[in-house]
Amino acid sequence: MSAIIYSILKEFYVEIHGHSVKARIMSPINHPDTFVFQTSLFYKSNAEADAYEPASMFNSYANAERHLLQYLETFQNALDLGGEVSSGTAF
């Protein structure tokens, strides 16, 4: 398996209910029109056993940023309603 090198375009640091969440939007250097995002923590709602890991490949930066911000908002809403935090991507 070959390594994929990413350019980090933007990083976010958010605190949600005392949990530090790091998020970043990246683009593979060999596919400049593909964008992905990662978060350091995922959330679990109290109705689901598994953590919610978002689909994170997009064809525009604006879509990646919009989905990431929506994910962070949903993360906070899930914790407001009694959800749990799960480990995400280590970076």
Side-chain angles (χ1 to χ4, degrees), residues 49-81:
D50 296 328
Y52 179 67
E53 182 176 351
S56 62
M57 188 167 289
F58 304 95
N59 57 6
S60 77
Y61 177 83
N63 280 343
E65 186 175 45
R66 182 173 52 87
H67 278 86
L68 174 58
L69 295 175
Q70 181 180 8
Y71 181 80
L72 294 173
E73 181 180 358
T74 307
F75 192 121
Q76 180 168 351
N77 291 340
L79 293 185
D80 287 345
L81 297 172

Side-chain angles (χ1 to χ4, degrees), residues 5-37:
I5 300 171
Y6 290 92
S7 294
I8 297 173
L9 303 174
K10 194 169 200 178
E11 285 190 324
F12 297 88
Y13 298 95
V14 183
E15 186 170 311
I16 300 173
H17 290 279
H19 300 281
S20 297
V21 180
K22 293 185 279 184
R24 58 173 55 153
I25 299 175
M26 307 178 303
S27 178
I29 61 170
N30 58 345
H31 295 288
D33 48 341
T34 301
F35 302 91
V36 298
F37 70 81

